[in-house]
Amino acid sequence: MHNTLLTIITFIVVFGILVIVHEFGHFYFAKKSGILVREFSIGMGPKLIAFRKNHTSYTLRLLPVGGYVRMAGAQEDDGDALQAGVMVNIQLNENLVTRINASQKQTLFQGVPFQIVNFDLTDGLWLEGYENGDESALKRLNVDHDATIIEHDGTEVQIAPRDVQFQSAKLWQRALVNFAGPMNNFILAIVVFAIIGLMQTGGIPSNSTKIGTVMENSVAQKAGLQKGDEITKINGKVVKDWSALSTTLQSDPGKQVTLTYKHGTTTNTIKVTPKVITTQGQKVGQIGITAAVDKSIGGRLMYGLTGTWTMVTNIWHALANLFTGGFNLNKLGGPVAIFANTEQAAKMGLASTLFFMAFLSVNLGIVNLLPIPALDGGKLLLNVLEAIRRKPLPESAENAVQIAGFLFLILLMIAVTFNDVYRYFIK
């Protein structure tokens, strides 16, 4: 029971931090670009807590499985809660509508009943209808540019005039807003890896190709490699860092490779065959060496960059293998897999949990940059097409692309989730 509770708390905290950091990137640059952020939500589903500040509603929702930044006019903005024929309550200030209540969950102090006949909250900023049930006099009321509307679930957001909508921002600003979420995930990973580096008083793995330890009875020891040797080439190709070294060796399990290395002032060449081991269902090569350790403060801080870069290259190779090595759902993981791995990280302590957070953050950043519609990368691709065409895609075409991408992601997530449940709890 204690371990389950710890896992749940760790999962919520880690996932919450990732979502907040990602969405804050979109939020910050949208604000700087003059785009109205109508809502910043942590979590999904029914609203638990809400407050408004500086034209934005901040909400905490029941399900801790994501979040969103709702920008005026963007695809995430599901529009206003008004339609012809509905009865709302309005607040007036000198004959100017300042608040519109379309919810049954709230009442407006001194609110005036108003039946909507027609409205324009985008360009003209007006409401047309019958006040106090008097259908003998059709009234048109002007709406304040910064008026708010209380939606059906009780969330109060600002209306979305065209000048503060997403599409009204310049192209480079919209592209920056789309890129900012993944960018923040990479920044978070750098910070977390730097913290991990400082926590490791015994030092952190150097990203050089110098050997720190050689395991007993390993392929490397039998080939004559020693601590302090520096591997410079694999099969004649120069390797500049440990990430490239380990990736190359892991990709050739059971296949003989030629290593060129420096031992003191001499350069030697040997042939080794990486041992085949299976990790997380994948066969990789291993010769039994670890990187040299850097104990300096500067080196441990630099682990923020080197650790992130290593993680980026590893995840990128894993993504490439997803397609070149044959598609397999076991190579993917959804919320169930994340929860299962959170349990292992939480048991192993703070450093492991931080490492897992950094891994997820890099993962989230890379996956969101894939050119798949409905992801940030898909939106950036549309920005590139707009720059080439010098005009945006027709709204109908853009919506169709986004819907297709969204449906693809939903179907993929369902398949991955069922597969994860089978892997971790049934198999």
Side-chain angles (χ1 to χ4, degrees), residues 97-117:
V97 178
T98 56
R99 296 177 81 192
I100 306 167
N101 181 16
S103 173
Q104 301 297 318
K105 297 183 178 181
Q106 291 192 32
T107 57
L108 291 183
F109 178 67
Q110 293 184 338
V112 177
F114 194 86
Q115 185 177 1
I116 304 291
V117 172

Side-chain angles (χ1 to χ4, degrees), residues 287-301:
I287 65 171
I289 57 176
T290 62
V293 172
D294 187 345
K295 295 184 179 181
S296 68
I297 293 294
R300 286 189 279 161
L301 283 172

Side-chain angles (χ1 to χ4, degrees), residues 47-177:
K47 179 188 64 173
L48 298 177
I49 303 171
F51 68 92
R52 293 188 68 250
K53 185 177 181 181
N54 296 330
H55 309 300
T56 299
S57 293
Y58 298 86
T59 57
L60 178 66
R61 295 183 179 271
L62 180 63
L63 303 176
V65 290
Y68 56 87
V69 168
R70 183 176 158 193
M71 292 173 277
Q75 277 85 9
E76 295 82 3
D77 188 12
D78 55 6
D80 294 313
L82 295 187
Q83 57 183 3
V86 302
M87 180 68 74
V88 298
N89 269 30
I90 59 175
Q91 273 188 351
L92 296 166
N93 184 9
E94 297 181 354
N95 291 322
L96 198 63
V97 178
T98 56
R99 296 177 81 192
I100 306 167
N101 181 16
S103 173
Q104 301 297 318
K105 297 183 178 181
Q106 291 192 32
T107 57
L108 291 183
F109 178 67
Q110 293 184 338
V112 177
F114 194 86
Q115 185 177 1
I116 304 291
V117 172
N118 202 356
F119 64 94
D120 180 357
L121 300 181
T122 302
D123 297 304
L125 302 184
W126 49 262
L127 296 177
E128 198 170 66
Y130 304 113
E131 187 176 315
N132 280 317
D134 183 6
E135 296 187 6
S136 64
L138 183 66
K139 283 193 173 183
R140 174 175 286 202
L141 301 175
N142 291 325
V143 179
D144 187 83
H145 181 278
D146 295 331
T148 61
I149 180 168
I150 302 173
E151 299 177 312
H152 296 304
D153 69 348
T155 303
E156 185 169 6
V157 297
Q158 278 200 221
I159 64 170
R162 192 172 302 280
D163 63 305
V164 293
Q165 288 191 9
F166 182 77
Q167 288 297 333
S168 296
K170 296 177 180 177
L171 176 59
W172 68 267
Q173 291 175 320
R174 286 182 274 128
L176 185 56
V177 170

Side-chain angles (χ1 to χ4, degrees), residues 21-22 24-26 28-29 175-190 308 361 364-366 368-369 376 380:
V21 168
H22 180 94
F24 183 77
H26 296 310
Y28 179 81
F29 285 98
L176 185 56
V177 170
N178 289 331
F179 178 69
M183 178 187 73
N184 265 22
N185 285 124
F186 295 125
I187 292 173
L188 174 63
I190 291 170
T308 300
S361 195
L364 186 61
I366 291 177
N368 262 284
L369 286 177
D376 295 325
L380 284 168

Side-chain angles (χ1 to χ4, degrees), residues 319 322 327-334 337 412 416 419-420 423:
L319 280 173
L322 179 65
F327 182 81
N328 188 332
L329 282 176
N330 287 334
K331 297 178 182 179
L332 300 174
L412 181 62
V416 167
N419 187 65
D420 285 346
R423 274 198 300 168

Side-chain angles (χ1 to χ4, degrees), residues 205-220:
S206 167
N207 203 34
S208 70
T209 57
K210 186 173 290 187
I211 298 173
T213 58
V214 178
M215 298 176 186
E216 290 289 330
N217 298 317
S218 65
V219 173

Side-chain angles (χ1 to χ4, degrees), residues 23-42:
E23 297 300 338
F24 183 77
H26 296 310
F27 168 84
Y28 179 81
F29 285 98
K31 286 273 193 178
K32 288 295 182 181
S33 301
I35 300 167
L36 171 64
V37 178
R38 306 183 76 189
E39 182 183 357
F40 188 126
S41 174
I42 302 301

